Amino acid sequence: MRTPPAHHGLELLTDHLRDSGGTHDSLAEAILGIRYDDDTAPRLLALRDLLRLCRDEPGLRAVWLEAHYDAEAAFASMISDRTGRPAGDFAVRVEAGVLNTAMRIAVEDWALRSGGADGPSLAETITRALRMIDVVELR
């Protein structure tokens, strides 16, 4: 079954974390270690195109927000695995929500601004967002 474009970012992250065997010291290092190469480019372009359509299509926007609802649980699970705290712990859920929101806004901003040669890349945009929330401390 094909992954819907709205889930591509989360799929890239979870695939990367699984393939790396948890060798990163922090969740931020894991996120920033994703390679945006020829294999990921078609998925990212599909995601970018979907997000551009979300501005005017409430149904697509609902799918995007549903993907992020699902992502929050995945982020909580990743934080739980890395910290030993339960995924349902209030603090873990808040950290996952903050991370999820930062990632969502970063990807949306990138999608709406990408296309120009002088615009920031997806990796640069995500890096900026993660630095703003100091997610480096999520170990």
Side-chain angles (χ1 to χ4, degrees), residues 60-137:
L60 289 176
R61 191 174 323 121
V63 170
W64 173 242
L65 294 175
E66 181 69 26
H68 271 276
Y69 180 81
D70 295 342
E72 194 165 301
F75 287 138
S77 178
M78 290 177 206
I79 292 167
S80 173
D81 290 346
R82 291 177 177 283
T83 65
R85 296 178 288 160
D89 178 78
F90 181 74
V92 170
R93 291 178 52 226
V94 169
E95 290 168 7
V98 169
L99 175 60
N100 188 34
T101 300
M103 294 291 290
R104 179 184 57 78
I105 291 170
V107 173
E108 289 171 356
D109 190 74
W110 164 80
L112 296 177
R113 296 177 189 268
S114 67
D118 59 344
S121 69
L122 177 57
E124 291 166 333
T125 306
I126 289 172
T127 299
R128 183 173 175 221
L130 293 179
R131 286 189 176 137
M132 287 179 180
I133 64 167
D134 202 23
V135 76
V136 176
E137 298 305 316

Side-chain angles (χ1 to χ4, degrees), residues 10-93:
L10 180 61
E11 181 183 67
L12 284 171
L13 177 59
T14 54
D15 288 351
H16 175 69
L17 289 172
R18 184 182 60 248
D19 294 345
S20 70
T23 58
H24 303 283
D25 288 337
S26 72
L27 192 55
E29 284 181 5
I31 292 168
L32 297 175
I34 296 172
R35 293 207 173 120
Y36 303 98
D37 54 22
D38 291 340
D39 291 334
T40 60
R43 294 190 288 177
L44 292 177
L45 291 176
L47 175 61
R48 183 198 65 195
D49 293 344
L50 173 80
L51 290 175
R52 288 178 176 177
L53 291 171
C54 282
R55 291 180 295 181
D56 301 319
E57 296 292 334
L60 289 176
R61 191 174 323 121
V63 170
W64 173 242
L65 294 175
E66 181 69 26
H68 271 276
Y69 180 81
D70 295 342
E72 194 165 301
F75 287 138
S77 178
M78 290 177 206
I79 292 167
S80 173
D81 290 346
R82 291 177 177 283
T83 65
R85 296 178 288 160
D89 178 78
F90 181 74
V92 170
R93 291 178 52 226

